[in-house]
Structure formats: structure tokens, C-alpha cells
Amino acid sequence: SEPFNPERTRQQFPILSQQAHGSPLVYLDNAATTQKPESVIEAVNGYYREQNANVHRASHYLSAKSTRAFEMAREQVQQFLNASSSDEIIWTRGATEAINLVANSWGRANLKAGDEVLLTCLEHHANIVPWQLVAEATGAVIKVVDIRPDGELCMDSFTRQLSDKTRIVCVTHASNAIGTITPVAEIIAAAHNLGALVLVDGAQMVAHQTVDVQKLGCDFYVFSGHKVFGPTGIGVLYGRKALLETMPPWQAGGEMIEQVSFSGTRFNTLPFKFEAGTPNVAGVIGMAAALDFLQSLNMPKLAEYELSLRQKAEAGLRDIPGIKLIGQASEKVSVVSFICDTLHNQDIGLLLDQQGIAVRTGHHCTMPLMERLNLSGTVRASFSVYNTEEDVDRFLSAMRLLVTSEYHTDEEFQGLAVQRSG
Ligand code: PMP
């Protein structure tokens, strides 16, 4: 098949043709959120122009239209993840809400004092804090799998921490801060052997590699629409049907009930039991268009292309004195994290921004990982389908300039440093 064509892909993203501070925009903050192709913008726009109505409620023309599109999108996500039934796909606001749903519904119903929840050092705060709250409420204990110096998950540590007290293992499929891909299949097999469930945080994975939840065998899988070319405010919880059926509702209201009276309430069946209130219908429609876009690309070719961008960036950074790459796992998504001897990560972010280059700096919502690495933060450049070799070249020449010029005696840099501390 033909090679991946970044230029043609890039043309579908209108936002990328603008200037930022007088330079062409180089968007390298894709791990925070991806840009949206024309087709997603049009789908959301078209929904409000032609289909808008509440779903699953009224018996009129528009409601039937929006309900059909809404449920077709659910089936599309089912196919996207290769779930065995669309009842296993729950719409949420994002990965964060999906994890909170599992922690509050499954966690509060099943965890007892002394039970263990096994997390990893690589987790985003979204896969830590909900478990801390439920641990506080139930008396369960949080355990943490360590990493190796190169940023790979330490499987010896995993084996040591996993025990017959472990009730659930919550692990990211790929680290947003340093890019590490974790061996989730191996983790799931070992956890299931001891009767523990596994929740996989796929927020950083689904835009980069094909995911098959049945092949993985995970119990829960979560992701956010906005990191996979879709709108903000929409995400997915996949859960094994038999498991979801045993779980109590979390949020309550309309849509999630079958029968309500003041003497008692019967809950709706899956997936509606977990979807209280009017959902983000426009977000769901946008998500469907985003998955259409992603599925129109050749995923293995895309992964190869993103790898080439990452390797080019890593090689270029290695040649700049004073730069240290953080996280060099053998399997990574297209995330490059680094620090610099002479410049604070926030100053690098500001100085790159002045040249139109968007990166993320700081702790990346992974403070325990930063603490483990003994860092206050890093600079992170993350690549996606529309980034080009030219983007990487511009980023690298900007970095070379920043590091080699005498910024520390420059008024401009002094100004930035003051701004940061102020
Ligand atoms: N997990 C990971 C690994 C993430 O990168 C993020 C977003 N940075 C989240 C969870 C939370 O996603 P959201 O904010 O979209 O709910």
C-alpha cells in the first residue's frame, strides 16, 4: 500500500495553516490534545444545523435522527475497540470521568479494608486520585509498580507488588509524560491469574496504535475523544458486559432509569444505566467522524511515520549540548521529553512559543513520576499525523538557538524569568 502522506493529511486541519507570533504554527502538543480535521468540525456543525434533538426521548423526526446517529456512533466505537457488544461502550466526558465511574461504582461496591489497588509510577493524576479517594472511603491500600531508569515499567516490581490481595490493577497503556508503552497483555494475564481486574488507560494509545480489547482481555479500557481528533467533553468507558452488569449506577438522573416512583426506582439496562442525563450528543457525533478519519489512515504506516519523526527529534536533541532526554523505553509513542542544564523547562516553553512552536512544559499531570525521576518537570514535544519533518527541523533549530545563544544575559530572557517567578 502507499506510504503515509503527511502533507495530504495536514491539509485536512484548517487550524494548522495560521501564524503564531508571526511564524507559521508548529503544533507539538498533541499528547495534551489533538487538532480536528475538517470532517469532525463539519460533523459537529452539521449536527446542530440538521439533527439537533434530545436522544432516546421524543417520538419525533429529529429525535429519531439524532438517536440513530448517537447509537451508530456507539457501534462504531465498539468496532474501533473490537468490543463484543455495543452495550459495553459507555459514553463519558473523557478518560477522567470513565476512571471515576469505575472507581466509584465498581470500587465502592467491591473494595474492602486491606484490599489492594495496584497502580504504576507512570500514571496520570486521572488514574491515581480517583483511586486514592475510593481507598480512603473503603480502607483499601494503594500499591505502586516502579519504573526502571530508562522509563520502562519494572516487571520485577510488578511481580513483587501483585498479590492475592490485589483486586484491580490500573495501568496506562502509554505514558503521556515520557511515552513509555507498557506490556499490558502480560500484566493482564498475570493479574487475572490472581483474580484481579485490570483497567487500562488508553488516553495516549488510541491515536497511535490499533487496540483490540478482546485480544488484550482487559476488564476496562478508557480514552478521550479530544486526543484522537474528536471534540472535547466526550470519552469512552469500555467494560466487560458481565462485569458492568454487576456494577451499581454511579450518577443518577434521567435516562439511566427504567421506572421511578417515590417508593423505589428500577435502573435501565446497559449501557444506559451509566449514562444519566442528556449526553453530549454533538460530541458523540464528532467522535464518530474522528474515528472515521483515523480509520481512513493506514495505522501501521502511521506508526512507522510517527516513529521516524520521534527518532529524528531525539537524534537532533542528543546533539545539542546540555540537553538530556527523559524516558528511553524501547517501546514508546511519539512523545519526546527532555530537560536542559542551562534553561528551565518553562523558559524553553515560552521561548519556543515566541517562534510559533507549541510544546508542553511542567509535570504533565504526573507529579509522582516527576518525583520518582527527581525532576520538577520536563519539556515535552509530541507528534501526530499532521506533523512534518519540517516541523521537527524548525523545533530543532529553535532549540539549538536557545541553548547556544547567550540568553541568560539577554534582557528578553531576564524578562521571561521574572514573568515566571512573578
Ligand atoms: N490519562 C492519560 C495518560 C492522559 O494523558 C490524560 C490526559 N492528559 C488523561 C488520562 C485524562 O484525560 P482527560 O483529561 O481527557 O479526561
Side-chain angles (χ1 to χ4, degrees), residues 49-351:
R49 283 181 181 281
E50 290 154 25
Q51 297 181 309
N52 178 55
N54 212 327
V55 290
H56 296 297
R57 298 258 158 80
S59 57
H60 56 74
Y61 176 74
L62 284 181
S63 175
K65 219 162 142 172
S66 68
T67 302
R68 201 176 316 119
F70 184 80
E71 288 307 323
M72 273 171 62
R74 196 191 303 275
E75 284 167 26
Q76 195 176 345
V77 174
Q78 176 206 337
Q79 284 154 20
F80 179 66
L81 293 178
N82 194 33
S84 60
S85 156
S86 62
D87 291 350
E88 300 182 313
I89 306 301
I90 315 291
W91 297 118
T92 66
R93 273 197 301 126
T96 301
E97 192 181 53
I99 296 167
N100 275 277
L101 193 164
V102 176
N104 284 285
S105 167
W106 178 84
R108 283 173 197 263
N110 290 282
L111 293 172
K112 305 180 303 299
D115 284 348
E116 293 178 0
V117 173
L118 187 50
L119 309 179
T120 87
C121 240
L122 293 170
E123 298 316 306
H124 187 277
H125 295 165
N127 204 20
I128 299 174
V129 187
W131 297 109
Q132 288 177 325
L133 291 180
V134 75
E136 240 167 67
T138 59
V141 178
I142 307 271
K143 297 272 177 161
V144 183
V145 180
D146 202 2
I147 49 169
R148 303 191 324 201
D150 61 5
E152 288 199 12
L153 206 60
C154 175
M155 291 307 280
D156 288 342
S157 166
F158 170 69
T159 307
R160 275 196 304 274
Q161 300 278 9
L162 184 73
S163 79
D164 55 9
K165 289 193 204 140
T166 312
R167 300 297 313 279
I168 190 165
V169 181
C170 304
V171 57
T172 194
H173 206 166
S175 158
N176 65 307
I178 59 172
T180 309
I181 295 176
T182 58
V184 287
E186 203 180 317
I187 289 169
I188 291 162
H192 283 178
N193 255 339
L194 287 175
L197 301 181
V198 180
L199 177 147
V200 180
D201 174 358
Q204 293 294 338
M205 193 50 140
V206 290
H208 303 292
Q209 287 187 17
T210 308
V211 171
D212 182 332
V213 289
Q214 291 190 79
K215 201 159 144 207
L216 284 178
C218 56
D219 301 284
F220 301 108
Y221 198 95
V222 307
F223 71 93
S224 290
H226 72 96
K227 290 186 202 272
V228 61
F229 316 108
T232 49
I234 188 68
V236 166
L237 166 65
Y238 155 82
R240 266 196 306 111
K241 191 170 177 182
L243 192 57
L244 290 176
E245 261 162 0
T246 66
M247 287 161 48
W250 172 40
Q251 295 179 334
E255 188 73 10
M256 53 76 72
I257 49 77
E258 185 181 286
Q259 164 80 45
V260 177
S261 75
F262 284 112
S263 60
T265 292
R266 251 198 336 272
F267 300 121
N268 207 336
T269 51
L270 287 175
F272 311 112
K273 180 170 80 172
F274 293 111
E275 293 180 356
T278 300
N280 180 358
V281 187
V284 166
I285 303 305
M287 169 86 95
L291 297 186
D292 279 338
F293 165 76
L294 188 63
Q295 287 171 321
S296 76
L297 306 174
N298 177 327
M299 287 303 271
K301 285 261 157 38
L302 169 62
E304 243 169 64
Y305 177 69
E306 288 183 345
L307 176 66
S308 73
L309 292 182
R310 171 166 71 82
Q311 286 175 335
K312 182 180 166 78
E314 286 172 343
L317 287 170
R318 271 194 203 100
D319 279 347
I320 303 176
I323 299 275
K324 185 174 173 220
L325 295 177
I326 306 296
Q328 305 208 57
S330 59
E331 300 267 330
K332 285 175 66 174
V333 289
S334 49
V335 165
V336 177
S337 226
F338 62 95
I339 54 169
C340 174
D341 281 351
T342 51
L343 287 166
H344 190 279
N345 66 68
Q346 288 180 17
D347 292 328
I348 293 176
L350 286 165
L351 294 163

